[in-house]
Amino acid sequence: GAGLPSQYPRLAGQHAEYLATQLRYFSVGTRNNDGQSMVMRGIAERMNENEIQAVSSYVAGLRE
């Protein structure tokens, strides 16, 4: 969840609903504004809504 500043953003502690929304955007191809979009799209498009909610809740609860 800490990310790598030059490559991946920090996700730990983000709001769960924000994370879920972004995963939904990746899954339908709405979010495609960065180099990681292809990776995230490939993951998110295979997730169902329960999995999106579970991952979002988990990541929101991560701390350093």
Side-chain angles (χ1 to χ4, degrees):
L4 297 170
S6 64
Q7 297 175 317
Y8 304 101
R10 175 182 171 80
L11 297 178
Q14 285 280 5
H15 294 280
E17 190 53 41
Y18 170 80
L19 294 168
T21 298
Q22 299 312 306
L23 285 170
R24 288 183 203 106
Y25 287 162
F26 277 119
S27 74
V28 296
T30 301
R31 180 164 178 175
N32 56 9
N33 61 330
D34 57 38
Q36 303 307 318
S37 293
M38 294 298 290
V39 173
M40 287 304 301
R41 189 176 310 128
I43 294 166
E45 68 187 6
R46 295 189 307 257
M47 296 173 78
N48 64 42
E49 185 60 27
N50 288 337
E51 292 167 330
I52 287 173
Q53 291 295 323
V55 168
S56 299
S57 293
Y58 173 77
V59 173
L62 291 175
R63 302 288 179 250
E64 284 187 46

